[in-house]
Amino acid sequence: MEIEFLGTGAGVPARSRNVTSIALKLLDERNEVWLFDCGEGTQQQILKTTIKPRKVNKIFITHLHGDHIFGLPGFLTSRSNQGGETRLDLYGPTGIKRYVQTSLAVTGTRLSYPIAYHEITEPGIVFEDDQFQVSQLKLDHRIDSYGYRIQEAAFTGELLVDKLKAEQVPSGPIYGKLKAGETVSLPDGRVLNGHDYIGESRPGRIVAIMGDTRKTDHTITLAQDADVLVHESTFSQHESKLARQYFHSTSTQAAQIAVAAHCRRLLLTHISARYLGRAARQLQEEAREVFPNTRVVNDFDIIKIPLPVAVKE
Amino acid sequence: MEIEFLGTGAGVPARSRNVTSIALKLLDERNEVWLFDCGEGTQQQILKTTIKPRKVNKIFITHLHGDHIFGLPGFLTSRSNQGGETRLDLYGPTGIKRYVQTSLAVTGTRLSYPIAYHEITEPGIVFEDDQFQVSQLKLDHRIDSYGYRIQEAAFTGELLVDKLKAEQVPSGPIYGKLKAGETVSLPDGRVLNGHDYIGESRPGRIVAIMGDTRKTDHTITLAQDADVLVHESTFSQHESKLARQYFHSTSTQAAQIAVAAHCRRLLLTHISARYLGRAARQLQEEAREVFPNTRVVNDFDIIKIPLPVAVKE
Ligand SMILES: [Zn+2]
Ligand SMILES: [Zn+2]
């Protein structure tokens, strides 16, 4: 599991930062890539990475500002031209379907794969299977903007069959009871505690990716105990009035959220073009005073999200 | 007058060529820049040039395929964010207004300047003032695709007042007659031929910029006597069947058009990603066998269009 930042700028593209797009690479987990937002030029950014457009099978849109969606029609079209055949699921605010369908209709584009549209109508879970759950809540922006929490299912420990066989425990219904953690008496008088025969388990990983927003409690909910929180940092703490006025956050506010939500790591993105080089590092320093494990990311940064330490059951 | 190529690729962006956009820079003539097509990423390409978005006050769209228009909403939005206040005229096929208006409405974008939409309904002149005339005709593509002919007004010679004064010709209605090229008798018996007192004149320049198309007579009409013809060359002459099948042209066909229309110079663009490096030069060689003054252009190439040689009246 990795996050690759395809665009880390705010509002308009700059030479140093393209507008927003974030790839959650789940290649080891399910050979898929999920995009969060798709600003103009995302497909050109992807050309500079190892990401294959046909592996992108889910796109989550945080909000409908142009710097987050104007790359969508081009990406969808090129995915078709480049052999994409599998269904693509598109999640986002109401209006995203109209935007994409109008863009495809006006250009006379027929895609080689179907799009399943999932427009958000109420807070809650937007996707769930055995492996991942994605939920969303509305944030505090000028227009409807959402944050997404991506939660991996816990890995439960396997029954240690080899150990049982080495101890000459005969197979049968006993194995199921041990796997369930029960204590079992054998015919030969031995008493076995199931917990001694179950391998390591570990919790699943949690990634929280926020849309543009002011500081809001909903972010704390979404980011609770997250391994990684991706939060906007459009302004410095010295511009908190501007941040409030334009419905954005400061670096310090993002860090406060990370503290309150007990996150492991904070990645700051959506950096205004006014903060170049040293000024962007200054944003990072501000946040680190509140939450030390903070990084201001740049285009093409890849952040690995390691498996949590295993927990013996 | 210069043409700067912002994107010279076909269909999908490639690392070496972005999708189509062409800037006609009329800075000396009228301090304006006109864009022809606006594929995704055009605003990012512009960031690498000296072009100021607010000086772009006319955009001509050749056809509604995504590789020619998906950069339009982002460019229009950024032009607004970067202080553009003057009206922008947008010319193109029917549907371009719906596409732009939907994109702006869905994103809740209010531009700081008005857009005047000019959807093409019949062949003819789309813009005309004292200095320039732009006309269009439909070409031969899968969807409606247009070519544009940009014709500069002729420069007529000025009356050489200094020369008249040096020869002590008294001012008065006589000057008007001389300017009109008439022969005039002076009270002192001198006979003056107006043509001897009119400065140099020269024809205006002609640029013809075509949308995607098969070889068609309408291109010959639009490109008649053009100083520069910009024509697509999606395929090599060895792929003429593919060109026909996909409603595109070969390099050789473009050159045949340049010959038939008596053009001065041919610029080949809209190069498929299958032709890289040496293969693109091969397209150029093919065309040069038919029309020697041909060049396959690359992104960021700037082509100056010099004033024609002055003609003594
Ligand atoms: Zn934004
Ligand atoms: Zn094209």
PDB file of all heavy atoms in Angstrom, chain B residues 9-12 19-20 37 62-63 65-68 141 211-212 232 234 248 270, ligand 2:
ATOM      1  N   GLY B   9       0.541  16.637 -30.467  1.00  0.00           N
ATOM      2  CA  GLY B   9       0.253  15.209 -30.508  1.00  0.00           C
ATOM      3  C   GLY B   9      -1.158  14.910 -30.985  1.00  0.00           C
ATOM      4  O   GLY B   9      -1.973  15.807 -31.193  1.00  0.00           O
ATOM      5  N   ALA B  10      -1.434  13.634 -31.141  1.00  0.00           N
ATOM      6  CA  ALA B  10      -2.742  13.188 -31.626  1.00  0.00           C
ATOM      7  C   ALA B  10      -3.400  12.304 -30.595  1.00  0.00           C
ATOM      8  O   ALA B  10      -2.767  11.410 -30.052  1.00  0.00           O
ATOM      9  CB  ALA B  10      -2.570  12.402 -32.928  1.00  0.00           C
ATOM     10  N   GLY B  11      -4.671  12.564 -30.317  1.00  0.00           N
ATOM     11  CA  GLY B  11      -5.478  11.632 -29.542  1.00  0.00           C
ATOM     12  C   GLY B  11      -5.240  11.656 -28.050  1.00  0.00           C
ATOM     13  O   GLY B  11      -6.067  12.130 -27.294  1.00  0.00           O
ATOM     14  N   VAL B  12      -4.125  11.100 -27.610  1.00  0.00           N
ATOM     15  CA  VAL B  12      -3.817  11.082 -26.180  1.00  0.00           C
ATOM     16  C   VAL B  12      -2.468  11.761 -25.966  1.00  0.00           C
ATOM     17  O   VAL B  12      -1.597  11.708 -26.822  1.00  0.00           O
ATOM     18  CB  VAL B  12      -3.769   9.639 -25.621  1.00  0.00           C
ATOM     19  CG1 VAL B  12      -5.131   8.976 -25.739  1.00  0.00           C
ATOM     20  CG2 VAL B  12      -2.725   8.811 -26.334  1.00  0.00           C
ATOM     21  N   VAL B  19      -1.420  17.093 -26.175  1.00  0.00           N
ATOM     22  CA  VAL B  19      -2.517  17.174 -27.138  1.00  0.00           C
ATOM     23  C   VAL B  19      -2.651  18.612 -27.661  1.00  0.00           C
ATOM     24  O   VAL B  19      -2.047  19.538 -27.155  1.00  0.00           O
ATOM     25  CB  VAL B  19      -3.832  16.645 -26.528  1.00  0.00           C
ATOM     26  CG1 VAL B  19      -3.805  15.118 -26.480  1.00  0.00           C
ATOM     27  CG2 VAL B  19      -4.061  17.213 -25.139  1.00  0.00           C
ATOM     28  N   THR B  20      -3.490  18.767 -28.675  1.00  0.00           N
ATOM     29  CA  THR B  20      -3.428  19.942 -29.539  1.00  0.00           C
ATOM     30  C   THR B  20      -3.764  21.284 -28.911  1.00  0.00           C
ATOM     31  O   THR B  20      -4.801  21.423 -28.249  1.00  0.00           O
ATOM     32  CB  THR B  20      -4.356  19.741 -30.751  1.00  0.00           C
ATOM     33  OG1 THR B  20      -3.889  18.630 -31.507  1.00  0.00           O
ATOM     34  CG2 THR B  20      -4.379  20.972 -31.649  1.00  0.00           C
ATOM     35  N   ASP B  37      -7.712  25.589 -30.646  1.00  0.00           N
ATOM     36  CA  ASP B  37      -7.866  24.367 -29.858  1.00  0.00           C
ATOM     37  C   ASP B  37      -7.176  24.501 -28.495  1.00  0.00           C
ATOM     38  O   ASP B  37      -6.304  25.364 -28.306  1.00  0.00           O
ATOM     39  CB  ASP B  37      -7.380  23.113 -30.609  1.00  0.00           C
ATOM     40  CG  ASP B  37      -8.318  22.756 -31.761  1.00  0.00           C
ATOM     41  OD1 ASP B  37      -9.510  23.106 -31.661  1.00  0.00           O
ATOM     42  OD2 ASP B  37      -7.865  22.147 -32.741  1.00  0.00           O
ATOM     43  N   THR B  62     -11.502  23.809 -33.427  1.00  0.00           N
ATOM     44  CA  THR B  62     -11.716  23.182 -34.742  1.00  0.00           C
ATOM     45  C   THR B  62     -12.797  22.111 -34.685  1.00  0.00           C
ATOM     46  O   THR B  62     -13.598  21.983 -35.604  1.00  0.00           O
ATOM     47  CB  THR B  62     -10.420  22.556 -35.284  1.00  0.00           C
ATOM     48  OG1 THR B  62      -9.999  21.506 -34.392  1.00  0.00           O
ATOM     49  CG2 THR B  62      -9.316  23.600 -35.425  1.00  0.00           C
ATOM     50  N   HIS B  63     -12.793  21.318 -33.610  1.00  0.00           N
ATOM     51  CA  HIS B  63     -13.812  20.271 -33.475  1.00  0.00           C
ATOM     52  C   HIS B  63     -13.839  19.808 -32.031  1.00  0.00           C
ATOM     53  O   HIS B  63     -12.967  20.145 -31.235  1.00  0.00           O
ATOM     54  CB  HIS B  63     -13.566  19.109 -34.447  1.00  0.00           C
ATOM     55  CG  HIS B  63     -12.316  18.329 -34.203  1.00  0.00           C
ATOM     56  ND1 HIS B  63     -11.061  18.889 -34.267  1.00  0.00           N
ATOM     57  CD2 HIS B  63     -12.117  17.015 -33.885  1.00  0.00           C
ATOM     58  CE1 HIS B  63     -10.160  17.956 -34.020  1.00  0.00           C
ATOM     59  NE2 HIS B  63     -10.768  16.817 -33.767  1.00  0.00           N
ATOM     60  N   HIS B  65     -13.582  16.923 -30.424  1.00  0.00           N
ATOM     61  CA  HIS B  65     -12.923  15.766 -29.807  1.00  0.00           C
ATOM     62  C   HIS B  65     -12.157  16.216 -28.570  1.00  0.00           C
ATOM     63  O   HIS B  65     -11.610  17.318 -28.510  1.00  0.00           O
ATOM     64  CB  HIS B  65     -12.003  15.071 -30.815  1.00  0.00           C
ATOM     65  CG  HIS B  65     -12.737  14.103 -31.699  1.00  0.00           C
ATOM     66  ND1 HIS B  65     -12.307  13.757 -32.963  1.00  0.00           N
ATOM     67  CD2 HIS B  65     -13.884  13.397 -31.483  1.00  0.00           C
ATOM     68  CE1 HIS B  65     -13.159  12.878 -33.489  1.00  0.00           C
ATOM     69  NE2 HIS B  65     -14.127  12.657 -32.613  1.00  0.00           N
ATOM     70  N   GLY B  66     -12.131  15.311 -27.587  1.00  0.00           N
ATOM     71  CA  GLY B  66     -11.585  15.666 -26.280  1.00  0.00           C
ATOM     72  C   GLY B  66     -10.150  16.160 -26.325  1.00  0.00           C
ATOM     73  O   GLY B  66      -9.771  17.054 -25.554  1.00  0.00           O
ATOM     74  N   ASP B  67      -9.345  15.613 -27.229  1.00  0.00           N
ATOM     75  CA  ASP B  67      -7.938  16.037 -27.268  1.00  0.00           C
ATOM     76  C   ASP B  67      -7.791  17.462 -27.800  1.00  0.00           C
ATOM     77  O   ASP B  67      -6.674  17.992 -27.833  1.00  0.00           O
ATOM     78  CB  ASP B  67      -7.081  15.039 -28.070  1.00  0.00           C
ATOM     79  CG  ASP B  67      -7.567  14.810 -29.498  1.00  0.00           C
ATOM     80  OD1 ASP B  67      -8.802  14.789 -29.722  1.00  0.00           O
ATOM     81  OD2 ASP B  67      -6.721  14.657 -30.396  1.00  0.00           O
ATOM     82  N   HIS B  68      -8.902  18.087 -28.172  1.00  0.00           N
ATOM     83  CA  HIS B  68      -8.858  19.471 -28.651  1.00  0.00           C
ATOM     84  C   HIS B  68      -9.596  20.448 -27.733  1.00  0.00           C
ATOM     85  O   HIS B  68      -9.500  21.662 -27.943  1.00  0.00           O
ATOM     86  CB  HIS B  68      -9.420  19.552 -30.078  1.00  0.00           C
ATOM     87  CG  HIS B  68      -8.625  18.765 -31.064  1.00  0.00           C
ATOM     88  ND1 HIS B  68      -7.824  19.353 -32.012  1.00  0.00           N
ATOM     89  CD2 HIS B  68      -8.440  17.429 -31.214  1.00  0.00           C
ATOM     90  CE1 HIS B  68      -7.209  18.418 -32.728  1.00  0.00           C
ATOM     91  NE2 HIS B  68      -7.578  17.234 -32.255  1.00  0.00           N
ATOM     92  N   HIS B 141     -14.074  15.007 -41.346  1.00  0.00           N
ATOM     93  CA  HIS B 141     -13.665  14.247 -40.174  1.00  0.00           C
ATOM     94  C   HIS B 141     -14.878  13.456 -39.685  1.00  0.00           C
ATOM     95  O   HIS B 141     -15.982  13.630 -40.202  1.00  0.00           O
ATOM     96  CB  HIS B 141     -13.150  15.223 -39.099  1.00  0.00           C
ATOM     97  CG  HIS B 141     -12.326  14.585 -38.017  1.00  0.00           C
ATOM     98  ND1 HIS B 141     -11.316  13.679 -38.263  1.00  0.00           N
ATOM     99  CD2 HIS B 141     -12.337  14.751 -36.659  1.00  0.00           C
ATOM    100  CE1 HIS B 141     -10.770  13.308 -37.118  1.00  0.00           C
ATOM    101  NE2 HIS B 141     -11.373  13.942 -36.124  1.00  0.00           N
ATOM    102  N   GLY B 211      -8.381  21.842 -38.681  1.00  0.00           N
ATOM    103  CA  GLY B 211      -8.708  20.811 -37.702  1.00  0.00           C
ATOM    104  C   GLY B 211      -8.382  19.437 -38.258  1.00  0.00           C
ATOM    105  O   GLY B 211      -7.898  19.304 -39.388  1.00  0.00           O
ATOM    106  N   ASP B 212      -8.658  18.409 -37.485  1.00  0.00           N
ATOM    107  CA  ASP B 212      -8.440  17.033 -37.947  1.00  0.00           C
ATOM    108  C   ASP B 212      -9.279  16.804 -39.195  1.00  0.00           C
ATOM    109  O   ASP B 212     -10.460  17.172 -39.257  1.00  0.00           O
ATOM    110  CB  ASP B 212      -8.875  16.031 -36.874  1.00  0.00           C
ATOM    111  CG  ASP B 212      -7.980  16.066 -35.650  1.00  0.00           C
ATOM    112  OD1 ASP B 212      -7.090  16.932 -35.575  1.00  0.00           O
ATOM    113  OD2 ASP B 212      -8.173  15.211 -34.759  1.00  0.00           O
ATOM    114  N   GLU B 232      -2.763  18.762 -40.143  1.00  0.00           N
ATOM    115  CA  GLU B 232      -2.498  17.531 -39.404  1.00  0.00           C
ATOM    116  C   GLU B 232      -1.730  16.540 -40.267  1.00  0.00           C
ATOM    117  O   GLU B 232      -1.793  16.563 -41.504  1.00  0.00           O
ATOM    118  CB  GLU B 232      -3.819  16.911 -38.936  1.00  0.00           C
ATOM    119  CG  GLU B 232      -4.674  16.335 -40.052  1.00  0.00           C
ATOM    120  CD  GLU B 232      -5.215  14.944 -39.694  1.00  0.00           C
ATOM    121  OE1 GLU B 232      -4.406  13.997 -39.682  1.00  0.00           O
ATOM    122  OE2 GLU B 232      -6.425  14.844 -39.419  1.00  0.00           O
ATOM    123  N   THR B 234      -1.440  12.880 -39.116  1.00  0.00           N
ATOM    124  CA  THR B 234      -1.558  11.845 -38.088  1.00  0.00           C
ATOM    125  C   THR B 234      -0.846  10.564 -38.502  1.00  0.00           C
ATOM    126  O   THR B 234      -0.380   9.803 -37.669  1.00  0.00           O
ATOM    127  CB  THR B 234      -3.049  11.567 -37.798  1.00  0.00           C
ATOM    128  OG1 THR B 234      -3.736  12.809 -37.639  1.00  0.00           O
ATOM    129  CG2 THR B 234      -3.230  10.755 -36.528  1.00  0.00           C
ATOM    130  N   HIS B 248      -8.353  10.842 -40.959  1.00  0.00           N
ATOM    131  CA  HIS B 248      -7.161  11.673 -40.798  1.00  0.00           C
ATOM    132  C   HIS B 248      -6.400  11.741 -42.128  1.00  0.00           C
ATOM    133  O   HIS B 248      -6.835  11.181 -43.131  1.00  0.00           O
ATOM    134  CB  HIS B 248      -6.265  11.098 -39.692  1.00  0.00           C
ATOM    135  CG  HIS B 248      -6.795  11.365 -38.308  1.00  0.00           C
ATOM    136  ND1 HIS B 248      -6.938  12.638 -37.811  1.00  0.00           N
ATOM    137  CD2 HIS B 248      -7.211  10.509 -37.332  1.00  0.00           C
ATOM    138  CE1 HIS B 248      -7.417  12.568 -36.567  1.00  0.00           C
ATOM    139  NE2 HIS B 248      -7.608  11.294 -36.261  1.00  0.00           N
ATOM    140  N   HIS B 270      -0.171  17.357 -35.042  1.00  0.00           N
ATOM    141  CA  HIS B 270      -1.097  16.259 -34.732  1.00  0.00           C
ATOM    142  C   HIS B 270      -0.447  14.942 -35.133  1.00  0.00           C
ATOM    143  O   HIS B 270      -0.981  14.150 -35.895  1.00  0.00           O
ATOM    144  CB  HIS B 270      -2.434  16.474 -35.461  1.00  0.00           C
ATOM    145  CG  HIS B 270      -3.594  15.761 -34.808  1.00  0.00           C
ATOM    146  ND1 HIS B 270      -3.967  14.493 -35.159  1.00  0.00           N
ATOM    147  CD2 HIS B 270      -4.445  16.130 -33.826  1.00  0.00           C
ATOM    148  CE1 HIS B 270      -5.021  14.127 -34.429  1.00  0.00           C
ATOM    149  NE2 HIS B 270      -5.321  15.102 -33.605  1.00  0.00           N
TER     150      HIS B 270
HETATM  151 ZN    ZN C   2      -7.318  15.179 -32.690  1.00  0.00          ZN
END
